[in-house]
Amino acid sequence: MAEGHAGAGDGDAAGVRVEVESSSEPPPASSRGAMSHEDCVEGIRSALKHPTVRFLRQQMEKAGCQVWPRLIRAATCSTAGGYASAEGIKVCCNHMTLQDEINQVIIHELVHAYDDCVTKNMDWKNCAHHACSEIRANHLSGDCHYKRELLRGFMKIRGHEQDCVKRRALMSVRNNPYCSEAAAKDAIEAVWNICYNDTRPFDRAP
């Protein structure tokens, strides 16, 4: 695996770490219809200009968090994106078809990065800690906006947002090797009220 950097442009886009993966394996089915890796890298650079991404970056810098230049990577992977301590954010280009999807992944994962930085003793192996950050990321990123839910085939309007946040948080936490599905459900219920209503660094949910 080789690593490089996106070319320098404006200040916000410079220094994005781009992970280039070579593999003899055929691309997964989810890659069909996905944008090219080059377009995805440009999409990441464009996303860095998004107002919410800028805001999260500014708030992380104010909190003393290391943000750039090695926070965001373009990659080929099995999910839409991810965040890991000391590794940063991955945008999985083989799942990206639209600029909006790249924006959403980066905003979602930046909430995790923010939590990782500002939360004392954050432990991603702890189901409650992970559940709290997933609740916040799904709530604050706009992942559960009703238009996105309709596109996913979820037609419920009343109460859709909280149902969506719980559903998507459960999908993530149960994939944590340290959390069974039952433990993930229990963790989400245990921290729900506190974490759903915790909108930091926003004054209210965007």
Side-chain angles (χ1 to χ4, degrees), residues 63-148:
C65 308
Q66 289 293 108
V67 182
W68 306 143
R70 300 172 72 176
L71 181 66
I72 302 176
R73 292 172 293 148
T76 299
C77 34
S78 60
T79 59
Y83 170 79
S85 298
E87 295 181 15
I89 292 167
K90 286 197 298 186
V91 176
C92 300
C93 293
N94 52 309
H95 289 265
M96 299 297 105
T97 60
L98 301 169
Q99 180 65 46
D100 180 67
E101 293 171 345
I102 296 175
N103 297 345
Q104 286 305 117
V105 166
I106 292 176
I107 293 167
H108 180 110
E109 303 303 340
L110 276 173
V111 175
H112 288 320
Y114 176 88
D115 289 350
D116 199 25
C117 173
V118 303
T119 303
K120 292 182 179 179
N121 303 314
M122 183 71 176
D123 181 2
W124 294 100
K125 298 177 183 178
N126 182 303
C127 301
H129 289 198
H130 187 184
C132 188
S133 192
E134 290 295 348
I135 290 167
R136 282 174 34 77
N138 282 288
H139 181 40
L140 300 177
S141 67
D143 284 341
C144 288
H145 188 279
Y146 77 94
K147 289 182 179 179
R148 293 190 175 91

Side-chain angles (χ1 to χ4, degrees), residues 129-190:
H129 289 198
H130 187 184
C132 188
S133 192
E134 290 295 348
I135 290 167
R136 282 174 34 77
N138 282 288
H139 181 40
L140 300 177
S141 67
D143 284 341
C144 288
H145 188 279
Y146 77 94
K147 289 182 179 179
R148 293 190 175 91
E149 279 290 86
L150 289 174
L151 289 173
R152 296 178 189 126
F154 294 94
M155 306 302 290
K156 181 180 178 182
I157 300 299
R158 186 179 299 276
H160 79 90
E161 202 270 347
Q162 293 193 15
D163 287 350
C164 170
V165 171
K166 286 186 177 181
R167 183 186 75 247
R168 292 175 66 83
L170 177 60
M171 287 169 57
S172 295
V173 180
R174 71 186 181 192
N175 286 330
N176 184 330
Y178 296 92
C179 305
S180 65
E181 181 153 356
K185 288 180 179 178
D186 289 346
I188 290 168
E189 291 302 321

Side-chain angles (χ1 to χ4, degrees), residues 11-12 52-61 67-68:
D12 281 341
T52 305
V53 173
R54 284 179 178 267
F55 175 78
L56 285 167
R57 170 189 176 176
Q58 291 165 359
Q59 294 304 306
M60 290 179 69
E61 288 174 342
V67 182
W68 306 143

